[in-house]
Amino acid sequence: MPGASAAWRYHALWIDPTNSKRLINGNDGGANDSIDGGDTWSSVYNQPTAQFYHVITDNRFPYNMYGAQQDNSTVAIASASAEGSIDRPDWL
C-alpha cells in the first residue's frame, strides 16, 4: 500500500456493499481509504487516528485521557475544551 510503513499490520478491510470500489483499510497507522478499488489509497498522515493498547484517565475535571499507541508513542489529550471542540492545542 503506498505510503504505508512496511512494519504496519493490517487489521480490517471494509468494502462498501453498494459500491465495491470504496474501501477502508484499518491498520497500525490508522486507516486508509480508496475510491478506485485499491489502485490508490489516502494517506494516514493527515488523520488523527491511531490504534491504542491501553487508555486511562486522570481525576481532573475536565479529565485528561492518556493512551499507549500501537508501535508508536504515548499521547495525552484533554476531554473538553474552553472553545467547545477539542483541537490541536488540547493535546498535552
Side-chain angles (χ1 to χ4, degrees), residues 29-88:
N32 302 87
D33 66 308
S34 175
I35 58 171
D36 58 13
D39 288 336
T40 61
W41 292 88
S42 67
S43 172
V44 296
Y45 299 114
N46 63 353
Q47 308 167 42
T49 58
Q51 179 178 346
F52 289 91
Y53 280 121
H54 302 284
V55 176
I56 61 170
T57 61
D58 60 25
N59 293 322
R60 297 178 183 169
F61 183 81
Y63 61 89
N64 294 317
M65 297 174 287
Y66 307 90
Q69 297 181 86
Q70 165 81 26
D71 296 335
N72 205 329
S73 61
T74 57
V75 296
I77 190 168
S79 65
S81 173
E83 282 74 41
S85 64
I86 298 172
D87 204 352
R88 190 171 300 269

